[in-house]
């Protein structure tokens, strides 16, 4: 626990304010660090600011950032109105430090503690964006970061604002600026329309530039920045939130964090409190994840899924896939349900692919269709019995939990999803058994259960898998999108060209998925729900990046351990007991 009897507050009122906004774990109506809030109320300058040195002309940007942060803290806890009224009414918006702090909170994995403040800040920045603020549009790092954060949060903005930075010579000239290039590289991945050439050009030159700087001796001297660039280049569409947070926390240099990227850098900010909070938060969530995995391993044995000799045993991978992107402590039931259905889908897919006879496949489908009347059907094999009761018991349990949460019965909906999924698996099994060659349209549209969001994420997963399993599936007598492109090309399409065509299809569906996720007008699907589809596309990219890591028994073990099994080690400078 944090030492409450002797608190060494950081010298920066800006940093203190952000720490003061963290709610208590016991009550979201109380601050976790009341000492920081008290410090703010006791240390306002006579001019109404919270500046380090109000009279120093070179520290005016720090004055703006610190004062705005303190105002947000006072507003969050609805205290000290008399202090707020003392602040000068004309106070320009210092945009980049506020954007940088939001990004910092996201990277540290503690942004959920600041949702109201972040939303208010983004609204302010969006207004400045729409007003054409020079502070945003003349600085490449500020413009890129603002663009990325606004688009991520559903604000409708055009990529044309980045047109001044679509060529390397436009911003770098003879002076290297890794941070600007990295921010532009990340922003360029937020393509949501079929034709956004500005972002495509930025992606091309920033990737080439950063790759060259990464291998150039001494080009990126800061180890933390070097690691961030390396990870960003290797995982363009496969960066998972908790993995990024862990790396960011472990590489966080609290003794060398400058006053963000403003025009003036004159002293360091002590970020120990924020780092300590992120450290505690990560390990607390991880402890919950370990308990969930223990439960899931018991569930596998309870339903005898470990007795299925043909099946890939993927409970750890399945749990990792959701824990790495949905870590909130209150969402344990959602993570468990996701992992269970991922495992069930995997073993049923293996059964339909090569382990079950056609008689067994039809038997399982009929059992699911009859559901509570399954006893009138009977089981064609022990494998069918195990699969059915695992699906039946787990789905009924999920329906009961959902009914308590939603106040309505969703069981029929869940059963229908399974029937639809099994029908698509049966069709592919019939293609393989009868040596039929479907059209590309038939193949792709058979790979998803729903339209729109489900369609795009399902197709992305299917095509990513196809790109790395074409040789193995060919040996098994199965066709996929790559081999189909070759077959339908009648000798005119090489495997390389087929791979490139499938890659273009993936990119097209990824853009449309992101557009739908970020769309706010006319959408009835909650943003948190849509976000999960985008997060799952990242998980799919990670599992099928370069090869089929999902089927491998060992290639994802290290990543799983980082999120579920291995706590972050205690920093030597931490204030923890």
């Amino acid at each position: 626990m944090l030492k409450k009897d002797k608190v060494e507050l950081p010298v920066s009122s800006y940093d203190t304010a952000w720490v003061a906004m963290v709610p208590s774990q016991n009550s979201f109506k109380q601050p976790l660090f009341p000492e920081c809030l008290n410090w703010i109320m006791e240390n306002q300058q006579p001019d109404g600011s919270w500046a380090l040195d109000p009279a120093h002309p070179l520290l005016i940007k720090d004055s703006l950032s610190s004062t705005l942060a303190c105002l947000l803290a006072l507003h969050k806890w609805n205290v000290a109105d008399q202090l707020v009224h003392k602040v000068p009414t004309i106070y320009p918006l210092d945009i980049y430090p506020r954007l940088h702090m939001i990004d910092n909170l996201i990277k540290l994995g503690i942004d959920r503690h600041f949702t109201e403040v972040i939303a208010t800040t983004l609204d302010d920045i969006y207004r400045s964006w729409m007003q054409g603020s020079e502070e945003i549009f003349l600085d490449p790092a500020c413009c890129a970061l603002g663009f990325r954060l606004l688009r991520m949060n559903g604000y409708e903005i055009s990529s044309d604002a980045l047109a001044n930075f679509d060529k390397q010579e436009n911003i770098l000239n003879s002076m290297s600026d890794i941070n600007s290039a990295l921010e532009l590289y990340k922003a360029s991945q937020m393509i949501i329309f079929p034709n956004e050439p500005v972002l495509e050009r930025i992606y091309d030159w920033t990737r080439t530039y950063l790759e060259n700087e990464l291998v150039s001796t001494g080009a990126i001297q800061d180890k933390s920045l070097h690691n961030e660039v390396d990870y960003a280049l290797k995982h363009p569409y496969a960066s998972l939130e908790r993995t990024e947070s862990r790396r960011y926390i472990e590489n966080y240099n609290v003794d060398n964090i400058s006053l963000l990227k403003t025009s003036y850098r004159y002293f360091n900010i002590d970020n120990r409190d924020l780092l300590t909070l992120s450290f505690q938060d990560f390990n607390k969530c991880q402890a919950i994840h370990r308990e969930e995995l223990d439960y899931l391993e018991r569930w596998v044995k309870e339903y005898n899924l470990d007795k299925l000799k043909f099946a890939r045993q993927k409970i750890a991978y399945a749990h990792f896939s959701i824990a790495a992107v949905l870590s909130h402590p209150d969402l344990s039931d959602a993570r468990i349900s996701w992992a269970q259905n991922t495992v069930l889908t995997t073993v049923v897919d293996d059964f339909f692919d090569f382990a079950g006879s056609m008689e067994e496949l039809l038997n399982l489908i009929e059992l699911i269709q009859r559901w509570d009347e399954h006893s009138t059907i009977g089981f064609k094999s022990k494998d069918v019995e195990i699969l059915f009761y695992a699906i039946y018991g787990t789905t009924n349990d999920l329906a009961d939990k959902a009914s308590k949460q939603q106040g309505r019965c969703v069981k029929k909906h869940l059963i229908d999803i399974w029937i639809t999924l099994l029908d698509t698996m049966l069709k592919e099994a019939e293609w393989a058994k009868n040596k039929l060659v479907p059209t590309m349209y038939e193949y792709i549209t058979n790979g998803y259960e729903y339209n729109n969001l489900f369609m795009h994420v399902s197709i992305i997963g299917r095509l990513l898998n196809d790109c790395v399993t074409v040789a193995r599936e060919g040996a098994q007598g199965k066709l996929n999108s790559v081999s189909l492109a070759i077959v339908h090309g009648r000798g005119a399409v090489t495997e390389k060209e087929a791979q490139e065509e499938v890659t273009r299809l993936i990119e097209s569906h990824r853009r449309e998925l992101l557009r739908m996720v970020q769309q706010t007008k006319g959408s009835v699907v909650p943003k948190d729900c849509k976000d999960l589809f985008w997060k799952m596309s990242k998980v799919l990219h990670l599992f099928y990046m370069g090869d089929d890591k999902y089927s491998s028994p060992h290639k994802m073990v290290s990543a799983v351990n980082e999120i579920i099994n291995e706590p972050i080690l205690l920093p030597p400078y931490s204030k923890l007991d």
Side-chain angles (χ1 to χ4, degrees):
M1 295 296 292
L2 288 171
K3 294 179 179 179
K4 299 288 186 177
D5 54 340
K6 187 178 180 180
V7 177
E8 296 180 6
L9 290 172
V11 296
S12 170
S13 51
Y14 180 77
D15 191 41
T16 305
W18 281 92
V19 176
M21 286 183 268
V22 181
S24 169
Q25 295 174 347
N26 299 320
S27 172
F28 284 98
K29 296 182 179 180
Q30 298 294 329
L32 179 61
F33 302 102
E35 301 91 343
C36 294
L37 186 60
N38 291 336
W39 186 92
I40 292 171
M41 292 190 288
E42 295 169 1
N43 286 276
Q44 188 177 29
Q45 298 290 347
D47 70 344
S49 74
W50 276 266
L52 181 70
D53 183 354
H56 200 307
L58 294 180
L59 294 180
I60 186 171
K61 287 219 170 207
D62 171 64
S63 172
L64 300 177
S65 302
S66 299
T67 300
L68 287 167
C70 290
L71 287 174
L72 286 171
L74 295 174
H75 175 73
K76 178 177 178 64
W77 302 117
N78 194 27
V79 295
D81 285 343
Q82 71 277 12
L83 299 182
V84 175
H85 293 316
K86 288 173 62 178
V87 177
T89 55
I90 301 176
Y91 234 113
L93 177 67
D94 197 25
I95 295 172
Y96 187 78
R98 299 177 75 188
L99 286 169
H100 196 286
M101 181 55 78
I102 292 173
D103 193 42
N104 202 38
L105 295 172
I106 293 171
K107 288 177 179 176
L108 287 169
I110 54 177
D111 51 301
R112 62 185 171 85
H113 296 293
F114 301 93
T115 51
E116 292 181 11
V117 176
I118 289 174
T120 301
T121 304
L122 287 176
D123 281 342
D124 289 343
I125 290 167
Y126 176 66
R127 283 192 290 270
S128 295
W129 183 285
M130 299 307 292
Q131 292 166 4
S133 168
E134 288 189 353
E135 185 180 352
I136 295 176
F137 297 123
L138 294 182
D139 185 304
C142 183
C143 188
L145 179 56
F147 175 80
R148 176 165 60 89
L149 290 177
L150 289 173
R151 270 211 173 173
M152 277 175 51
N153 287 277
Y155 293 87
E156 296 185 4
I157 55 175
S158 170
S159 57
D160 292 344
L162 295 171
N164 290 333
F165 314 121
D166 66 349
K167 295 183 178 63
Q168 179 176 339
E169 56 268 24
N170 288 0
I171 69 165
L172 298 180
N173 297 317
S174 60
M175 185 179 74
S176 174
D177 190 343
I178 303 297
N179 185 66
S180 292
L182 180 60
E183 290 295 353
L184 285 165
Y185 173 70
K186 292 178 179 179
S188 70
Q189 296 171 43
M190 297 298 295
I191 298 177
I192 61 176
F193 297 114
N195 186 29
E196 293 198 279
V198 169
L199 297 183
E200 292 173 356
R201 290 193 294 270
I202 290 175
Y203 180 84
D204 289 339
W205 82 254
T206 54
R207 183 171 184 86
T208 300
Y209 170 78
L210 291 171
E211 286 174 341
N212 291 337
E213 293 296 291
L214 199 63
V215 298
S216 177
T217 304
I220 309 179
Q221 296 183 355
D222 184 277
K223 182 180 178 182
S224 178
L225 181 58
H226 186 282
N227 291 339
E228 187 175 359
V229 171
D230 183 54
Y231 186 81
L233 290 174
K234 289 178 179 176
H235 303 80
Y237 300 105
S239 56
L240 308 188
E241 294 167 12
R242 298 307 280 179
T243 301
E244 279 197 325
S245 292
R246 179 175 187 124
R247 292 177 184 277
Y248 197 67
I249 293 168
E250 291 178 329
N251 288 290
Y252 205 70
N253 186 352
V254 295
D255 295 320
N256 192 31
I257 301 296
S258 61
L259 181 63
L260 310 179
K261 188 182 184 303
T262 62
S263 301
Y264 312 104
R265 300 182 180 187
Y266 281 88
F267 64 92
N268 291 339
I269 296 175
D270 185 346
N271 281 318
R272 285 175 174 80
D273 280 324
L274 280 179
L275 184 60
T276 298
L277 174 64
S278 64
F279 167 84
Q280 289 181 321
D281 188 86
F282 186 96
N283 286 346
K284 174 186 175 182
C285 291
Q286 190 183 68
I288 295 172
H289 298 338
R290 284 198 298 275
E291 292 177 0
E292 293 166 354
L293 184 56
D294 289 342
Y295 172 86
L296 289 165
E297 288 172 344
R298 293 195 299 272
W299 166 79
V300 167
K301 295 183 183 303
E302 177 187 351
Y303 283 103
N304 297 311
L305 293 171
D306 56 328
K307 301 274 193 343
L308 298 173
K309 304 294 185 184
F310 61 86
R312 290 169 289 174
Q313 299 299 322
K314 294 298 175 183
I315 190 62
Y317 285 12
H319 184 232
F320 160 80
S321 71
I322 189 65
V325 296
L326 199 70
S327 61
H328 196 294
D330 294 343
L331 297 176
S332 186
D333 282 345
R335 284 188 294 273
I336 288 173
S337 172
W338 183 279
Q340 288 173 330
N341 283 284
T342 300
V343 168
L344 290 174
T345 301
T346 299
V347 296
V348 171
D349 184 53
D350 290 344
F351 189 63
F352 273 68
D353 272 354
F354 55 83
S357 66
M358 188 59 66
E359 185 181 31
E360 289 173 306
L361 305 187
L362 293 171
N363 180 213
L364 180 59
I365 291 175
E366 188 176 6
L367 287 163
I368 299 295
Q369 290 172 333
R370 293 291 184 94
W371 204 252
D372 287 334
E373 299 174 359
H374 62 271
S375 60
T376 62
I377 304 300
F379 305 102
K380 298 296 183 182
S381 68
K382 185 63 177 179
D383 287 346
V384 172
E385 183 179 2
I386 289 174
L387 288 172
F388 172 74
Y389 278 124
I391 295 171
Y392 179 80
T394 304
T395 302
N396 284 341
D397 182 57
L398 174 58
D400 289 341
K401 290 179 180 178
S403 177
K404 293 175 183 176
Q405 286 285 333
Q406 302 180 26
R408 62 192 179 102
C409 182
V410 298
K411 184 184 292 187
K412 185 179 185 305
H413 177 65
L414 298 176
I415 296 170
D416 287 344
I417 291 175
W418 270 109
I419 292 173
T420 303
L421 178 61
L422 294 180
D423 284 343
T424 65
M425 291 181 176
L426 179 65
K427 185 176 291 186
E428 292 193 16
E430 290 172 341
W431 288 341
K433 177 180 174 59
N434 299 319
K435 295 185 172 17
L436 298 175
V437 179
T439 65
M440 184 68 81
Y441 176 80
E442 288 173 328
Y443 175 79
I444 291 176
T445 54
N446 192 53
Y448 63 87
E449 300 86 60
Y450 287 109
N451 290 326
N452 303 328
L453 290 165
F454 271 112
M455 175 189 73
H456 292 296
V457 77
S458 298
I459 290 177
I460 288 169
R462 162 173 285 246
L463 297 181
L464 286 169
N465 176 281
D466 287 354
C467 286
V468 298
T469 61
V470 59
R472 185 184 73 207
E473 292 188 335
Q476 296 172 346
K478 289 185 63 180
L479 292 169
N480 69 23
S481 58
V482 177
S483 53
L484 277 174
I486 297 172
V487 170
H488 290 303
R490 301 183 183 279
V493 178
T494 66
E495 182 173 332
K496 180 181 178 182
E497 291 170 336
Q499 290 272 11
E500 290 173 348
E501 175 58 29
V502 172
T503 299
R504 285 192 289 271
L505 274 174
I506 293 170
E507 175 65 23
S508 173
H509 286 283
R510 184 169 56 229
R511 292 185 186 186
E512 182 59 19
L513 173 64
L514 184 57
R515 185 193 68 77
M516 294 184 66
V517 168
Q518 304 310 332
Q519 177 184 342
T520 55
K521 292 182 179 179
S523 175
V524 297
V525 182
K527 183 67 164 58
D528 286 344
C529 181
K530 293 195 294 184
D531 283 342
L532 188 57
F533 286 92
W534 180 244
K535 292 173 180 179
M536 282 305 109
S537 77
K538 291 185 174 185
V539 172
L540 292 167
H541 275 84
L542 181 65
F543 274 125
Y544 299 118
M545 187 172 61
D547 57 5
D548 183 3
K549 296 181 178 66
Y550 187 73
S551 295
S552 168
H554 56 82
K555 288 184 178 179
M556 292 297 296
V557 170
S558 177
V560 170
N561 287 337
E562 284 185 343
I563 302 303
I564 299 174
N565 295 319
E566 297 173 355
I568 299 178
L569 296 178
L570 188 71
Y573 45 77
S574 173
K575 298 177 182 179
L576 295 172
D577 286 328

